[in-house]
Amino acid sequence: MQNRFTAMPLFLLLLLAFVFAAYWPGLHGGFLFDDFANLPILGDTGPIDNWPAFWRYITAGTADPIGRPLTLLSFLLDAHNWPADPLPFKRTNLILHLLNGALLTWLLRRLGHMLFLDTDRRRIDMAALLGASLWLVHPLFVSTTLYIVQREAILPATFTLLGLLSWLHGRTALLHGRTLSGLAWTTVGLGVCTLLGVLSKANGILLPVLALVIEYTLLRSVPQDPLSKGKNSGVYHRAMLALAWLPASIVAGYLLQQGEHGLVHGIPSIRPWTLGQRLLTEPRVLVDYLDLLWLPRPFTPGLFNDNIQVSTSLWSPYTTLPALLVVLGLIGCALKFRRQLPVLAAATLFYFVGQSIESSTIPLELYFEHRNYLPAMLMFWPLALWLCSVRQSRFTAAHTAAVFASIAPSIRHRAKLALAVVLLLGLALMTHSSAELWGNTHDQALLWAELNPDSPRAQANAAVAERNAGHPEHAVVRLQHLLVKDPNQVQLALNLFNAECQVGSIDQATLTASRTALRTARDTGSLLVHWFERTMEQATNPPCPQLTFQTIADLLDAAQDNRYLADVPGRQQDLYYLQGRLALMQSNANVALADFNYALDLNVRAPIALEQAALLGSMGYQRQGLAHLDHYEAVRDRTVPPNIGMPQVHAWILQHQQYWPKEMAHLRTTLSEDASNPLLGGK
């Protein structure tokens, strides 16, 4: 008995070291994509080195109504300001991934001991370790672990595992008559850990539903389940009603409400598909996920999934109906055979329940690999149990006996051991290869472009990599034919504009294509502001003759004609801000002031007023900067209230600290002093 308990931790430590080594090359990669959209808030209001700055930062999340404050808090382990070094962020992600592997081992071991009462415990322990190992070293999760911002997917998994373990401990305590202890652990598991999961990312709310999956597939399959009757059965059932069934009902109701609203009222215009098309497409996406999980490969499409063909009917594309039947068939079989094949049923239902928020009625993007991180945690446990010769049901036992009766037990054991080793080594080699790619952003960009030939994001990203490497001519060749196929893709057009300018001359056809893309793109996101700001700065010392202020003005006019951007107040504000900035760079301060005032009127916010006034002052137009602050004071009563959730908390924090009045007063003092200082040439 002692040897069993000392060997298990040793094997686990060896496993974690093995996985750490496989991931090591990827720790030296850089920031990517959504990292730049989320991490800069580390420095939005200066270094986070005092409590007021801490509270401003921790409530600044906007990814969902809750704001994901625990994820933001975890980033403080790695940096307190921005820009920052990516290595500490990636290292923390990997440590959390290893922690999740250890917790998953513990969970599978606990479930195995509760389910297989008459089986050698050493086999159950090794099956738990192997099942967790296959998940931990799977190459599909490299794109979760090494993508810094996806700590938002890793942390909810941590709290889900902790919650399930606490709930099982409470369940056992109730079984043995320890009512108060059992209720406390159950409440911590399904209540507190769910809250912590939600504070990391909204899909942490699925923890109680996942507990119900385990309850009704695994635990209720045990003959004469002790909690089905007895003195604490009523207590347990009431606790589960409040802590599991009620949250599950809320989740189901919310998804149904989102579906009804999306089908009746439509979804935001930034999505190029309807909700009905999304619901038809997601089964194909789920089948593709399962393909990546069970037929792993070292290199996957990665972060670029904007080229997914949308299903417009059950027959277009032709894989839509088969994929839907596969998904429904797997769920139906899991429900039908949950007593005969409890582990397979649990793994299947756990997976689809885990996908229910991000792959159903909420109009998120169609496809992301990181959505498999938590749902796939039980996926490989049935295989591990078989490899460790743990009898999972009478059904499998009978068929195994018939098929392998002629094979000696020792040979079967060695063959299964060899297969387990081959699987682990194969997965580790693929993970190591993928991690090496994640450690080299240039090669990563080129390979992703090759794997995603129809993805505008992948091709634009590869073009940037080629330009940064000093080969803009390669980027030109890459982008020209793609833009002909997809003229609405503004990221292709503007990257081609940059590449040709870097070569030395922009073709007239590219200028026309850039105007067309800006006029027809559905949503430009943050690209609009960032690209125009950089291009205006270049225009003061242009690398090519076509890059002039007039060219930039023509492109801005094209964006103003975009009917999709006209429906988004934030984008219209961006456009008038950019027009004002362009006027300012041409020394038209009064025109810039008028544009800035109009931009502010579209969506009255203190930060935009402060930024625009500061910009006027930095360009030597302090009086216009003061006038813009005066305009803000005149219209600030029209400030739109923050959205429900963390934005309201953040607004309260700022108001409590008097943050914006202090910043406005400081800027006003600075502008006034500079305007009255003849040495600064106030205008």
Side-chain angles (χ1 to χ4, degrees), residues 34 55 68 122 282 340 378 382 394 408 430 449 485 489 544 571 672 675:
D34 283 350
W55 290 114
R68 306 177 184 178
R122 288 173 299 181
E282 282 305 311
Q340 296 93 328
L378 301 188
R394 295 194 187 99
M430 286 188 277
K485 291 168 54 180
Q489 285 295 334
C544 62
R571 295 292 173 259
S672 298

Side-chain angles (χ1 to χ4, degrees), residues 114 117 171 175 214-216 218-230 233 236-237 339:
M114 297 174 75
L117 301 177
R171 194 181 192 277
L175 169 63
I214 292 173
E215 172 80 17
Y216 286 95
L218 296 177
L219 305 182
R220 294 296 177 93
S221 69
V222 177
Q224 296 180 343
D225 175 36
L227 274 179
S228 63
K229 54 185 177 179
S233 62
Y236 178 70
H237 291 152
R339 296 196 182 278

Side-chain angles (χ1 to χ4, degrees), residues 528-529 532-533 536 555-557 559-562 565-584 588-603 608 611-612 615-616 628:
L528 192 75
V529 171
F532 274 107
E533 285 180 335
M536 288 178 198
L555 294 174
L556 274 173
D557 287 342
Q560 285 282 17
D561 292 337
N562 188 315
L565 301 185
D567 295 334
V568 185
R571 295 292 173 259
Q572 285 295 299
Q573 186 173 67
D574 290 344
L575 288 171
Y576 279 99
Y577 156 74
L578 290 169
Q579 285 189 180
R581 189 181 182 101
L582 181 61
L584 192 58
N588 296 324
N590 290 327
V591 174
L593 175 61
D595 285 330
F596 286 165
N597 286 347
Y598 189 78
L600 181 62
D601 290 343
L602 289 172
N603 186 9
I608 189 67
E611 179 184 354
Q612 292 179 156
L615 182 59
L616 286 163
H628 188 57

